[in-house]
Amino acid sequence: MYALAIETSCDETAVAVLQFGENGLPVVSAELVASQSEVHRDYGGVVPELASREHLRNLPLLLDEVFRKSGIGVQNLALIGVTRGPGLKGCLLIGLGMAQGLSLAWNVPLVGVNHIEGHLYSALLSNPQLEFPFLALVISGGHTEIHEVHGIGSYKLVARTIDDAAGEAFDKSAHLLGFLYPGGPALAELADQTGRSRFKLPRVMRESEGFSFSGLKTAISQLVRDQKANLGDGQLRGELAFAAQEAIVDALLFKLRQAVKRSGISTVTVSGGVSANRFLRAKLAAEKGMNVCFPEFRHCVDNAAMIGLVAVERFRRGERIAAGAGVLSRWPVDSMQPPCAP
Ligand code: KG4
Ligand code: ZN
C-alpha cells in the first residue's frame, strides 16, 4: 500500500510517497521539496501571501513529479496525508484544499496531520529502533518546544518558547550582523570559524518553565550598537557571532538537561532547521546521560515524509479527517489525542 503526503504549512512545498504494510514503519519511495527562501530573502522574513502563491504554483508540479519518481499510480494509493496545522493559514489552505480535491476525485481516504507531530516522529524515519518514551526537541524558525513522546497522540509539553523561536533568534542576530535572511546558517559558519569570543551575552529565563529569546535579542542589538564602529573588523564580527550562537545553544541545552532530569527520560530526538547547527550537535554529543538521535538532515527541516509517517500511523487506527474540515493555524500538539475513527 502507498500513502501520498503533502506539506505546505510555511515556506516549503513538500510531497512524498511512502510504502507501508499492516505493521512496521513506512518506507519513503520518493520525496520532493521546493524551498522558497530565495523568494522571501529580500523581505527579511516569510511573506505569507507570496508563500501561498508559491505553493499554488509548485504543488501540482511536485505532485506530478513524485508520482513519476515513485513509479506508482493513483490506483496504488491507500491514503492521502496532509498538514492541517499549525502554520500560515493561506499556505495550509492550499495544501488542504488540494488534498481534499484529490481525495474526492480519486476516492482515497484523507488524514489531517499536525505539523509538529510530524517533527516529533521524524527521527523514526531513519532510527527505527527508537523506543517510546523519548523527549523531542523541535527547534526551527517558527517553533521551539520540548515534549515527552509516549506514543501516537500522547504528548506532554515540557517547555515552549514564550516569544521568539530559536531559529528566529539566530536569524535576527544574523540580520544585526549584516547577513541576509535566513542568516542562521551563515552566522553559525562564521561563529564556528572564529571559535571564541571576548563577549558574553546574558543567559535569560533559566529558571522559568518556557524558553525565551527576546532578552537575548535585545542584548545582542545593544552589543552590536556599541560595536557599530568596529563591525568592519572581521575578527570582532566573528566573535559577536560566536557569542550569539553560544548563548542560544546554551539556552537550549539548559532546558534539555532540565527536561531529562525531571522526566527521567534520557533518549532525546532533535529536529527542525536549527538541529543542523554543528556547535549544538557537538555539545549534545558530549552530554553525559543523554542518548541523542537526529533525523537525516532532509527530515530535520520541513518535509512531507514525516507527515506521511504520522498519517499512516493514524490511518491504521481508523482516523479520517471529517468532510469539509478546515485548517487549524493554531493547533498545539499537546492538545492532540490518540487516533480515533470518524
Ligand atoms: O525547520 P526549518 O527549515 O524551517 C522553518 O522554520 O519553517 O528551520 C529554519 C530555521 C531558520 O531560522 C534557519 O536560520 C535555522 O533554521 N537554521 C540554522 C542552521 N540551519 C538552519 N540555525 C543555526 N545553525 C544552522 N546551521
Ligand atoms: Zn517545521
Side-chain angles (χ1 to χ4, degrees):
M1 290 185 284
Y2 289 87
L4 169 68
I6 299 175
E7 153 65 40
T8 61
S9 66
C10 189
D11 61 342
E12 256 100 30
T13 318
V15 297
V17 168
L18 293 87
Q19 188 176 18
F20 67 101
E22 293 294 321
N23 302 296
L25 283 173
V27 175
V28 179
S29 308
E31 58 182 318
L32 296 166
V33 181
S35 171
Q36 305 178 2
S37 39
E38 292 295 322
V39 176
H40 303 288
R41 180 153 286 152
D42 291 346
Y43 302 91
V46 176
V47 183
E49 185 54 36
L50 288 181
S52 305
R53 275 190 237 164
E54 285 295 302
H55 288 310
L56 195 56
R57 203 161 60 93
N58 291 331
L59 187 52
L61 304 175
L62 291 189
L63 284 169
D64 276 350
E65 181 68 8
V66 84
F67 275 110
R68 202 188 55 73
K69 272 189 87 176
S70 63
I72 68 149
V74 171
Q75 70 283 0
N76 303 112
L77 278 187
L79 80 136
I80 302 173
V82 63
T83 305
R84 190 182 175 196
L88 298 169
K89 196 172 178 186
C91 296
L92 291 165
L93 276 168
I94 305 289
L96 183 62
M98 174 68 86
Q100 281 168 329
L102 296 178
S103 160
L104 260 173
W106 296 340
N107 196 22
V108 176
L110 182 61
V111 179
V113 175
N114 181 302
H115 176 84
I116 299 298
E117 192 170 30
H119 279 303
L120 297 186
Y121 275 80
S122 58
L124 276 160
L125 286 165
S126 45
N127 301 275
Q129 78 294 347
L130 194 63
E131 282 180 8
F132 301 114
F134 56 84
L135 290 170
L137 170 67
V138 183
I139 36 177
S140 71
H143 305 283
T144 298
E145 42 199 84
I146 303 175
H147 295 272
E148 284 181 21
V149 181
H150 292 273
I152 192 90
S154 180
Y155 313 115
K156 186 175 164 205
L157 175 69
V158 177
R160 174 176 282 146
T161 183
I162 58 165
D163 41 56
D164 289 348
E168 258 179 301
F170 267 105
D171 294 340
K172 286 177 178 172
S173 306
H175 177 73
L176 288 166
L177 292 175
F179 290 108
L180 288 177
Y181 173 84
L187 178 143
E189 200 175 322
L190 177 62
D192 289 348
Q193 279 164 10
T194 309
R196 64 182 173 82
S197 183
R198 74 194 83 160
F199 307 106
K200 189 93 181 161
L201 288 159
R203 308 300 196 247
V204 273
M205 297 275 297
R206 298 204 113 177
E207 300 312 320
S208 69
E209 293 302 314
F211 290 98
S212 171
F213 292 103
S214 67
L216 185 65
K217 183 180 64 190
T218 311
I220 295 172
S221 54
Q222 183 69 49
L223 190 55
V224 171
R225 209 173 311 131
D226 293 347
Q227 298 294 333
K228 201 168 180 169
N230 309 322
L231 285 181
D233 175 348
Q235 174 66 25
L236 181 124
R237 193 160 163 263
E239 290 188 33
L240 288 170
F242 185 92
Q245 170 166 272
E246 195 183 36
I248 298 166
V249 167
D250 254 16
L252 295 172
L253 285 173
F254 180 82
K255 289 282 172 214
L256 205 49
R257 283 189 203 114
Q258 205 176 46
V260 168
K261 203 165 153 202
R262 288 184 182 168
S263 67
I265 301 171
S266 57
T267 302
V268 176
T269 69
V270 187
S271 66
V274 180
S275 68
N277 187 274
R278 279 195 296 261
F279 186 72
L280 172 69
R281 286 187 176 231
K283 291 257 184 180
L284 284 170
E287 278 293 307
K288 291 197 177 62
M290 243 188 243
N291 167 27
V292 186
C293 162
F294 294 93
E296 280 179 64
F297 181 70
R298 67 177 191 280
H299 298 143
C300 277
V301 294
D302 286 352
N303 68 90
M306 67 182 190
I307 302 303
L309 181 62
V310 172
V312 165
E313 210 45 56
R314 288 186 167 270
F315 171 81
R316 279 173 174 159
R317 293 167 202 221
E319 189 167 302
R320 310 286 182 269
I321 197 168
V327 301
L328 297 169
S329 50
R330 284 177 177 273
W331 190 12
V333 74
D334 40 305
S335 72
M336 309 255 334
Q337 300 293 322
C340 57

